[in-house]
mmCIF file of all heavy atoms in Angstrom:
data_model
loop_
_atom_site.group_PDB
_atom_site.id
_atom_site.type_symbol
_atom_site.label_atom_id
_atom_site.label_comp_id
_atom_site.label_asym_id
_atom_site.label_seq_id
_atom_site.Cartn_x
_atom_site.Cartn_y
_atom_site.Cartn_z
ATOM 1 N N GLY A 55 10.102 3.682 -11.753
ATOM 2 C CA GLY A 55 10.434 4.205 -10.430
ATOM 3 C C GLY A 55 11.272 3.220 -9.633
ATOM 4 O O GLY A 55 12.221 3.612 -8.940
ATOM 5 N N ALA A 56 10.925 1.931 -9.730
ATOM 6 C CA ALA A 56 11.721 0.906 -9.040
ATOM 7 C C ALA A 56 13.134 0.826 -9.617
ATOM 8 O O ALA A 56 14.123 0.717 -8.876
ATOM 9 C CB ALA A 56 11.029 -0.446 -9.152
ATOM 10 N N LEU A 57 13.243 0.884 -10.946
ATOM 11 C CA LEU A 57 14.558 0.831 -11.581
ATOM 12 C C LEU A 57 15.395 2.053 -11.208
ATOM 13 O O LEU A 57 16.602 1.944 -10.945
ATOM 14 C CB LEU A 57 14.399 0.747 -13.097
ATOM 15 C CG LEU A 57 15.686 0.727 -13.918
ATOM 16 C CD1 LEU A 57 16.537 -0.490 -13.576
ATOM 17 C CD2 LEU A 57 15.358 0.754 -15.412
ATOM 18 N N ASN A 58 14.767 3.207 -11.170
ATOM 19 C CA ASN A 58 15.460 4.438 -10.801
ATOM 20 C C ASN A 58 16.023 4.342 -9.386
ATOM 21 O O ASN A 58 17.179 4.700 -9.125
ATOM 22 C CB ASN A 58 14.491 5.610 -10.910
ATOM 23 C CG ASN A 58 15.202 6.947 -10.871
ATOM 24 O OD1 ASN A 58 16.388 7.029 -11.164
ATOM 25 N ND2 ASN A 58 14.473 7.988 -10.508
ATOM 26 N N GLY A 59 15.200 3.830 -8.465
ATOM 27 C CA GLY A 59 15.658 3.669 -7.096
ATOM 28 C C GLY A 59 16.792 2.663 -6.977
ATOM 29 O O GLY A 59 17.747 2.873 -6.226
ATOM 30 N N LEU A 60 16.681 1.568 -7.714
ATOM 31 C CA LEU A 60 17.718 0.539 -7.673
ATOM 32 C C LEU A 60 19.062 1.090 -8.147
ATOM 33 O O LEU A 60 20.109 0.863 -7.529
ATOM 34 C CB LEU A 60 17.298 -0.649 -8.532
ATOM 35 C CG LEU A 60 18.312 -1.785 -8.662
ATOM 36 C CD1 LEU A 60 18.605 -2.415 -7.305
ATOM 37 C CD2 LEU A 60 17.807 -2.847 -9.644
ATOM 38 N N LEU A 61 19.050 1.840 -9.254
ATOM 39 C CA LEU A 61 20.294 2.379 -9.803
ATOM 40 C C LEU A 61 20.904 3.423 -8.872
ATOM 41 O O LEU A 61 22.128 3.472 -8.703
ATOM 42 C CB LEU A 61 20.035 2.997 -11.179
ATOM 43 C CG LEU A 61 19.654 2.021 -12.299
ATOM 44 C CD1 LEU A 61 19.335 2.771 -13.576
ATOM 45 C CD2 LEU A 61 20.780 1.012 -12.532
ATOM 46 N N TYR A 62 20.046 4.244 -8.266
ATOM 47 C CA TYR A 62 20.596 5.294 -7.411
ATOM 48 C C TYR A 62 21.115 4.723 -6.096
ATOM 49 O O TYR A 62 22.246 5.013 -5.676
ATOM 50 C CB TYR A 62 19.548 6.366 -7.133
ATOM 51 C CG TYR A 62 20.021 7.361 -6.097
ATOM 52 C CD1 TYR A 62 20.961 8.329 -6.427
ATOM 53 C CD2 TYR A 62 19.548 7.306 -4.793
ATOM 54 C CE1 TYR A 62 21.429 9.227 -5.475
ATOM 55 C CE2 TYR A 62 20.006 8.202 -3.840
ATOM 56 C CZ TYR A 62 20.939 9.161 -4.182
ATOM 57 O OH TYR A 62 21.409 10.043 -3.238
ATOM 58 N N PHE A 63 20.296 3.930 -5.418
ATOM 59 C CA PHE A 63 20.673 3.465 -4.079
ATOM 60 C C PHE A 63 21.834 2.472 -4.113
ATOM 61 O O PHE A 63 22.599 2.375 -3.161
ATOM 62 C CB PHE A 63 19.475 2.840 -3.380
ATOM 63 C CG PHE A 63 18.441 3.845 -2.967
ATOM 64 C CD1 PHE A 63 17.142 3.734 -3.413
ATOM 65 C CD2 PHE A 63 18.762 4.903 -2.132
ATOM 66 C CE1 PHE A 63 16.173 4.656 -3.040
ATOM 67 C CE2 PHE A 63 17.810 5.833 -1.749
ATOM 68 C CZ PHE A 63 16.515 5.713 -2.213
ATOM 69 N N SER A 64 21.961 1.715 -5.205
ATOM 70 C CA SER A 64 23.038 0.729 -5.273
ATOM 71 C C SER A 64 24.308 1.294 -5.898
ATOM 72 O O SER A 64 25.422 0.979 -5.467
ATOM 73 C CB SER A 64 22.585 -0.496 -6.072
ATOM 74 O OG SER A 64 22.227 -0.125 -7.393
ATOM 75 N N LEU A 65 24.168 2.132 -6.942
ATOM 76 C CA LEU A 65 25.329 2.641 -7.671
ATOM 77 C C LEU A 65 25.552 4.134 -7.489
ATOM 78 O O LEU A 65 26.582 4.659 -7.922
ATOM 79 C CB LEU A 65 25.182 2.337 -9.172
ATOM 80 C CG LEU A 65 24.989 0.862 -9.545
ATOM 81 C CD1 LEU A 65 24.769 0.727 -11.048
ATOM 82 C CD2 LEU A 65 26.181 0.035 -9.101
ATOM 83 N N GLY A 66 24.583 4.830 -6.911
ATOM 84 C CA GLY A 66 24.699 6.277 -6.781
ATOM 85 C C GLY A 66 24.462 7.012 -8.078
ATOM 86 O O GLY A 66 24.800 8.205 -8.201
ATOM 87 N N ALA A 67 23.883 6.343 -9.074
ATOM 88 C CA ALA A 67 23.641 6.961 -10.377
ATOM 89 C C ALA A 67 22.494 7.950 -10.267
ATOM 90 O O ALA A 67 21.390 7.599 -9.833
ATOM 91 C CB ALA A 67 23.319 5.885 -11.412
ATOM 92 N N GLY A 68 22.738 9.190 -10.663
ATOM 93 C CA GLY A 68 21.719 10.221 -10.599
ATOM 94 C C GLY A 68 21.354 10.724 -11.979
ATOM 95 O O GLY A 68 21.931 10.307 -12.986
#
Side-chain angles (χ1 to χ4, degrees):
L57 178 61
N58 194 22
L60 177 62
L61 293 176
Y62 172 75
F63 289 123
S64 60
L65 303 176

